[in-house]
Amino acid sequence: MARRLFPGAWLRKPHYAQVRFSYMRMKYLFISWLVVFIGSWVMYVQYSTYTELCRGHDCRKIICDKYKTGVIDGSACSSLCAKETLYFGKCLSTKPNNQMYLGIWGNLQGVIKCQMEEAAQPDFGTDPEPRKEIVLFDKPTRGTTVEKFKEMVYGLFKAKLGEQGNLSELVNLILSFADGNKDGRVSLPEAKSAWALLQLDEFLLMVILQDKEHTPKLMGFCGDLYVTERVEYTSLYGISLPWIIELFIPSGFRRSMDQWFTPSWPRKAKIAIGLLEFVEDIFHGPYGNFLMCDTSAKNLGYNDKYDLKMMDMKKIVPETNLKEIIKDRQCESDLDCIYGTDCRTLCDQSKMRCTTEVIQPNLAKACQLLKDYLLRGAPSDIHEELEKQLYLCIALKVTANQMEMEHSLILNNLKTLLWKKISHTNDS
């Protein structure tokens, strides 16, 4: 009866369903298109970032052009540019001006580091000047004698390291390293390479600490490119994710993941002892004190025996050099007196200049990094004492009375506490 009275009524519901289905289909098509668009944009941005970060081809071309024209020479030049037995592998760069790659040199594996911009003095966050191809390898000039070159190197060390009684020994060490072909003399191209490398604080520190356990060994150089031994694990934490996954992981959750994917506690303790020993190596060493200005997990690695190895030492700078530069730094607050992420001084409001004394010693920065790393999973019988020593360590200040005595005491207490706990295990 109803159908006869209202013949179109039974059609209304199917028509509404068709409209709803069409609307839902358009909605899902739009969402799918939006996802594809955003994904493509993210891929494009990441690819652009990768091409900017990873410029190994450009680095090799610049170095090899200089080598082939006789401007520079070094122990790695022939393998890189003539024999082609030194290859660039996976890109590890985090900044465009500091190129870093896994490398294969014959049957050896290493890490290749190359500077794509001219080395600059610490300048508190400003970008370095663009690399100047014409003048990068301009010293020493033709006609410079070996004695004159030694004087140049000695003067550079005096400016960077301050007055040290044994600078002449370091000069001789550099000349020995600069003799890439081991023919008993340093040629002008080899000297040009050595001079360019000595502008880099990381290279200088690596030469100074070559006999130390926690410094990767130098394998060779060409111009301001140098090759170091490969380190198996390139961060304190044991997981590395593809960048596309990293994009969608919240930073807080990522920090939790870092703590989950770490070695067993005895192995973490051994790695931590290595970091404490490295702090000792650069604290009032034979050529002065060096300051750790970027103490982060990404700069530390370890080998298959869980011995700590420093991955990146670019922000470990001579104290004398940093003080000389910072003393004329204008400031309005303490925030203007920071180099890297961890070297902080105070702003003298009366002079509107940064003071020269770094507030926090290296040991306090290392303990801050190690606190969560060591306390998570620490054995219950030492947890309380370990926590106490770590917080005492973090509280260290350079300006405190008897700081050096407290520094040595806390460092020895931490090493002893950790070593006693793992000395009877296979991990020791």
Side-chain angles (χ1 to χ4, degrees):
M1 181 70 179
R3 289 184 179 181
R4 283 196 297 269
L5 291 173
F6 307 102
W10 68 280
L11 293 172
R12 290 174 184 171
K13 188 171 182 180
H15 176 71
Y16 171 76
Q18 288 176 352
V19 171
R20 179 175 175 79
F21 174 75
S22 178
Y23 168 75
M24 293 298 291
R25 184 169 62 178
M26 290 297 295
K27 179 179 177 182
Y28 285 125
L29 282 173
F30 174 75
I31 293 174
S32 299
W33 175 85
L34 188 62
V35 169
V36 170
F37 174 78
I38 293 174
S40 301
W41 180 80
V42 169
M43 291 286 287
Y44 170 77
V45 169
Q46 289 297 320
Y47 176 75
S48 300
T49 302
Y50 177 86
T51 55
E52 177 66 20
L53 282 177
C54 301
R55 301 163 61 191
H57 174 75
D58 294 336
C59 177
R60 182 182 180 279
K61 183 179 185 304
I62 291 169
I63 292 295
C64 289
D65 284 349
K66 297 293 183 182
Y67 168 67
K68 290 175 181 177
T69 55
V71 176
I72 60 174
D73 200 356
S75 54
C77 289
S78 176
S79 297
L80 178 68
C81 305
K83 299 177 182 176
E84 297 188 353
T85 54
L86 175 56
Y87 302 97
F88 284 77
K90 179 183 177 182
C91 177
L92 304 175
S93 306
T94 57
K95 293 183 179 180
N97 58 314
N98 296 318
Q99 293 293 294
M100 185 161 66
Y101 282 78
L102 291 179
I104 300 174
W105 194 352
N107 59 352
L108 300 175
Q109 293 185 329
V111 174
I112 302 172
K113 298 187 177 185
C114 179
Q115 313 308 306
M116 288 301 294
E117 294 179 358
E118 190 172 28
Q121 296 291 343
D123 54 3
F124 305 88
T126 60
D127 292 329
E129 291 295 321
R131 179 174 177 143
K132 301 176 179 64
E133 294 300 333
I134 297 175
V135 299
L136 177 61
F137 300 110
D138 63 336
K139 294 181 181 179
T141 56
R142 185 174 298 278
T144 302
T145 64
V146 173
E147 288 303 316
K148 180 61 177 177
F149 181 60
K150 290 173 71 173
E151 290 176 13
M152 290 172 57
V153 175
Y154 186 92
L156 178 66
F157 289 164
K158 187 176 178 180
K160 280 179 172 282
L161 306 174
E163 291 284 358
Q164 305 290 335
N166 50 0
L167 286 183
S168 296
E169 296 177 14
L170 183 56
V171 171
N172 291 331
L173 182 62
I174 291 296
L175 261 64
S176 174
F177 183 83
D179 182 14
N181 57 9
K182 303 304 176 187
D183 63 354
R185 64 183 187 88
V186 178
S187 66
L188 181 62
E190 288 173 336
K192 286 180 181 288
S193 292
W195 184 257
L197 287 168
L198 289 175
Q199 312 309 308
L200 310 174
D201 290 329
E202 180 181 47
F203 179 82
L204 175 58
L205 186 58
M206 291 186 78
V207 172
I208 291 173
L209 299 179
Q210 269 302 280
D211 60 339
K212 301 297 183 180
E213 179 183 1
H214 307 298
T215 306
K217 302 304 178 188
L218 281 165
M219 298 169 62
F221 69 97
C222 184
D224 59 353
L225 174 149
Y226 54 105
V227 187
T228 68
E229 69 169 310
R230 181 178 178 180
V231 178
E232 284 82 355
Y233 302 95
T234 57
S235 175
L236 279 185
Y237 306 106
I239 184 170
S240 177
L241 298 174
W243 61 265
I244 193 66
I245 298 176
E246 292 274 12
L247 287 174
F248 300 101
I249 299 179
S251 58
F253 184 65
R254 185 65 169 100
R255 285 194 293 270
S256 298
M257 286 180 62
D258 285 342
Q259 295 298 334
W260 299 337
F261 293 93
T262 57
S264 63
W265 190 86
R267 289 171 173 171
K268 288 194 293 184
K270 185 178 182 184
I271 295 167
I273 290 171
L275 179 56
L276 297 175
E277 289 174 345
F278 179 78
V279 169
E280 279 186 297
D281 290 339
I282 63 174
F283 181 67
H284 293 326
Y287 303 105
N289 190 22
F290 283 77
L291 300 175
M292 300 173 69
C293 295
D294 185 4
T295 314
S296 58
K298 63 182 174 56
N299 294 335
L300 312 176
Y302 55 93
N303 61 19
D304 55 2
K305 296 181 180 178
Y306 299 93
D307 298 315
L308 177 99
K309 296 288 183 180
M310 297 302 297
M311 287 296 302
D312 190 337
M313 299 191 291
K314 293 183 183 69
K315 284 293 190 288
I316 301 179
V317 299
E319 182 178 29
T320 301
N321 198 22
L322 185 58
K323 282 184 174 182
E324 186 64 27
I325 294 162
I326 200 173
K327 69 179 182 180
D328 295 321
R329 176 77 176 178
Q330 293 184 348
C331 64
E332 295 181 1
S333 71
D334 294 345
L335 294 177
D336 298 320
C337 302
I338 303 173
Y339 173 62
T341 56
D342 296 320
C343 285
R344 301 167 182 265
T345 72
L346 299 176
C347 180
D348 185 342
Q349 294 292 338
S350 63
K351 300 178 180 177
M352 304 300 284
R353 291 286 189 275
C354 295
T355 58
T356 59
E357 202 68 53
V358 174
I359 299 170
Q360 200 176 31
N362 293 332
L363 182 59
K365 302 167 195 173
C367 288
Q368 182 68 56
L369 176 64
L370 292 174
K371 178 171 68 70
D372 293 336
Y373 189 71
L374 281 177
L375 291 179
R376 183 181 179 88
S380 57
D381 58 329
I382 68 164
H383 190 282
E384 183 177 349
E385 179 63 19
L386 179 59
E387 186 175 30
K388 173 187 172 183
Q389 292 295 330
L390 285 169
Y391 276 105
L392 285 173
C393 177
I394 293 169
L396 279 172
K397 300 291 183 184
V398 170
T399 55
N401 292 330
Q402 300 180 321
M403 191 280 293
E404 292 196 19
M405 185 181 297
E406 292 179 11
H407 182 286
S408 298
L409 182 62
I410 291 174
L411 191 146
N412 288 330
N413 286 346
L414 277 169
K415 286 173 61 179
T416 301
L417 183 64
L418 296 172
W419 189 251
K420 279 185 177 179
K421 194 62 186 176
I422 67 169
S423 59
H424 61 284
T425 68
N426 292 332
D427 298 306
S428 64

